[in-house]
Each structure stands twice: as structure tokens, then as C-alpha cells.
Amino acid sequence: MTHRPILTHTRAQLAEALTKMPGTKALVMTMGALHNGHLQLVREARELADHVIVTIFVNPTQFAPGEDFDAYPRTLEADMDALETVGADLVWAPAPQDVYPTPVTVSIDPGPIARVLEGKTRPTHFAGVALVCSKVVNLVRPDVALYGQKDAQQLAVLRTVFTQLDIPVRVHAVPIVRAEDGVALSSRNQYLSDDERARARALSRSLRRGVEVAEAGAEPAVIVEQCRAVIEAEGGIDVDYIALVDAGTFEILAGTESVPVGEGAGAPTVAADGTRQGRLLIAAKVGTTRLIDNMEVALHAAPCSCSTHAGDLA
Ligand code: AMP
């Protein structure tokens, strides 16, 4: 049986509602304009705790001037309807002044992991994410917080920040939810024209190509190269980066310069036989819309001779 979640806006309302929720709590943080990817986080949260708390907040500190903070879709009523269908218990939809009541003079620098890939293009982004996530976790005090693999670097940054700041919360990662055509669900997909949406399919296609050549034994640089070739063949897509990282630690293996991995990002995925799990990541603009996507790839211990023939694969 589903029920309408309790809707709160101020900190006092949130605190009051939380006092009526004994037992374990799971936190799902969103910026709203909810789609099935967000709802999957809530469904998994239901399995992990007695109460599910969802936040809906377009966080100004993670947007740089010129990004889409003002244009970002805000659809609270529809979000509440969607959350009712998946059994969220409590929604906190604060205004910026409820989250940042005084001028913000404190910042969190998550370190080297926040300066590559997304962090290189959006230099202030992860400091804003780290700040809002730390504050909300401190206000809600959940047992577990769920984040999507769609934002894989965000997950690695938050694991690092929570570990190194001793913020006592378990982080649970949820796999990416995709549309039938393979496009990863994103609130920003609604910016795409029909043509652009069709072109956006090339992102997941390029990642699948990377997965295929990895399975055939390709080495990291070749995997990235083959992924890029699919995007170039499609045309009209402006690639920001394509990179391969260790799926556990986020150590960069190919596509861009490596950086030291901070404590907490995750456990290394290297198995006794030398194989490891990688994650192939892409960020690209389709029209004016910047999209990100990624997939897990199995990396073989030693490149086999077939890597040089990776281009022969369908
Ligand atoms: P956002 O509202 O974009 O900040 O996303 C809120 C949370 O939902 C983040 O943890 C995202 O990683 C997650 N999320 C967004 N899209 C998807 C998706 N397609 N599949 C899984 N998780 C997602």
C-alpha cells in the first residue's frame, strides 16, 4: 500500500517529521524532475530501511555561473505524485535559505578526485556537491544514503568525503536506469530536440562498443579509442572526455591523466588473477545539452593479441 509522503520545506518541519520516524532511515537526494532512475533509488531504499526520506533541491552551490541553474526543471507536484507510487515516507523540498541560512563561508575540497573529468570541466561542482550532501546527511542522520551510478564520479567523491570526514553513513550505489533505446535517464534529457535525442543514443552505443572490445581483451587505451570512434562516426557530438577508471577506486586507467586516489573512494577491484572491473565514462554535448553516461567493463589481466584487432568487432 502506498501513501502520500509528508512534504516539508523548512529545517524545523524536517526535524519535527524525523522525530516521528523511529527505526532505520534511508536517504535519497535529488534535484527533482523525477524519472524512473530516481524512483529506482527510492525502491531500493525501501528495501534497506524502515523509512525513506527524499530530498528535492536544486543546489545552487554545485552550479557555476552560466550553467542551467535557472532553467533546471522544477516540478514538485508531479514529483510528489511519482514518489507516492514508490512509497517514500518524507520529502524535504527546501528553499536555498533553508539549506544555507547564513552566507556560506565554509567549503569542502574533496581533493584530486574532484579536479579531473567532471571536475576539470566544472571546477566548483564537486565542492558544491560535497557541501550539500554533507549538510543534508548531517540534518537527516540516515543509516544509508543511496546514489546512482549515473553520476559515478559523484559517488566516488562522496565516498571519499564521507570516509575522510568520518561522516557516519553507509553509501549504497544503484545501477543506471536506461530508456528502451539505451539512453541513460536524466532530467536534462528533456532539453533535447527529437533529432538530438536520436543522436544521444550514440553515447550508450559507444560505451557498449568499449564493453565489447574489453571482453575481447583490448587494453585500456584501445577501449577508449574504440568508444570514441563510435561517437565520431555518429557526428554532431562534442566530446568533453572519454576515460576508463577502476570501478572501485576511480583510479584513471586511460583517457586522461591519472591522479592520486584518496582514501575512501572504494576498494580496488583487482582480482587474484589480475583482472579488474573498469568503468568507462563519457561526457559530451549534444546540441547545447551536456550529457554524461558510463558502463562497467571487465578488464583482462594482460592484453591478448586480439586487442590490435578490436576494430574488427561489429
Ligand atoms: P539528480 O536529481 O540528477 O541530482 O540525481 C539524483 C540521484 O539520482 C543521483 O544519485 C543520481 O546519480 C541518481 N540518478 C539520476 N539518473 C539516474 C539514472 N538514470 N539511473 C540511476 N540513478 C540515477
Side-chain angles (χ1 to χ4, degrees):
M1 253 253 304
T2 58
H3 52 275
R4 191 100 179 145
I6 299 164
L7 176 60
T8 59
H9 297 290
T10 66
R11 284 173 175 232
Q13 289 168 346
L14 170 69
E16 158 85 17
L18 286 170
T19 61
K20 296 181 183 140
M21 292 185 171
T24 56
K25 296 179 188 70
L27 171 66
V28 173
M29 296 185 62
T30 80
M31 297 204 299
L34 301 183
H35 51 64
N36 200 32
H38 299 112
L39 300 185
Q40 186 57 26
L41 268 65
V42 178
R43 288 187 199 100
E44 291 201 18
R46 271 260 66 96
E47 304 294 314
L48 297 176
D50 300 326
H51 303 284
V52 178
I53 295 105
V54 178
T55 61
I56 298 178
F57 179 54
V58 185
N59 173 38
T61 64
Q62 70 190 66
F63 288 79
E67 291 187 344
D68 59 344
F69 175 73
D70 291 328
Y72 201 86
R74 288 158 170 91
T75 58
L76 184 59
E77 266 312 299
D79 292 346
M80 290 296 292
D81 291 344
L83 289 170
E84 185 172 348
T85 67
V86 284
D89 299 299
L90 171 60
V91 172
W92 188 38
Q97 62 270 24
D98 296 311
V99 177
Y100 300 111
T102 51
V104 185
T105 54
V106 169
S107 60
I108 298 176
D109 175 1
I113 198 169
R115 289 193 275 277
V116 291
L117 306 170
E118 284 303 286
K120 191 162 188 182
T121 305
R122 308 180 70 192
T124 57
H125 175 65
F126 287 123
V129 169
L131 187 65
V132 77
C133 291
S134 301
K135 283 168 72 70
V136 172
V137 165
N138 282 336
L139 288 168
V140 174
R141 304 279 163 131
D143 298 273
V144 58
L146 294 90
Y147 300 95
Q149 284 290 11
K150 165 79 171 28
D151 299 274
Q153 189 175 2
Q154 168 175 282
L155 247 167
V157 165
L158 290 177
R159 284 190 200 276
T160 307
V161 168
F162 293 163
T163 300
Q164 294 193 23
L165 294 185
D166 301 307
I167 295 177
V169 66
R170 186 158 62 85
V171 170
H172 179 89
V174 176
I176 299 177
V177 179
R178 299 180 179 281
E180 268 181 19
D181 62 359
V183 175
L185 297 187
S186 164
S187 307
R188 290 191 168 101
N189 289 349
Q190 55 189 277
Y191 299 153
L192 299 168
S193 68
D194 290 349
D195 272 6
E196 290 166 349
R197 165 71 202 212
R199 220 178 308 147
R201 292 183 202 156
L203 269 69
S204 58
R205 226 173 42 239
S206 73
L207 295 170
R208 274 202 307 278
R209 167 70 152 224
V211 171
E212 283 166 13
V213 298
E215 271 164 17
E219 58 185 297
V222 175
I223 295 168
V224 168
E225 216 172 83
Q226 288 292 310
C227 178
R228 188 179 292 276
V230 173
I231 297 291
E232 279 168 8
E234 173 72 27
I237 297 178
D238 182 10
V239 173
D240 181 356
Y241 61 79
I242 297 175
L244 182 67
V245 302
D246 182 286
T249 61
F250 225 80
E251 178 197 344
I252 294 170
L253 307 175
T256 185
E257 79 276 23
S258 202
V259 296
V261 184
E263 185 208 346
T269 62
V270 187
D273 65 359
T275 57
R276 73 200 302 191
Q277 285 303 113
R279 192 168 284 281
L280 185 58
L281 311 154
I282 183 167
K285 268 192 176 169
V286 181
T288 55
T289 305
R290 188 169 181 281
L291 300 175
I292 58 172
D293 198 354
N294 68 80
M295 276 184 200
E296 201 161 276
V297 298
L299 301 173
H300 291 274
C304 70
S305 57
C306 50
S307 65
T308 51
H309 302 297
D312 299 340
L313 285 176

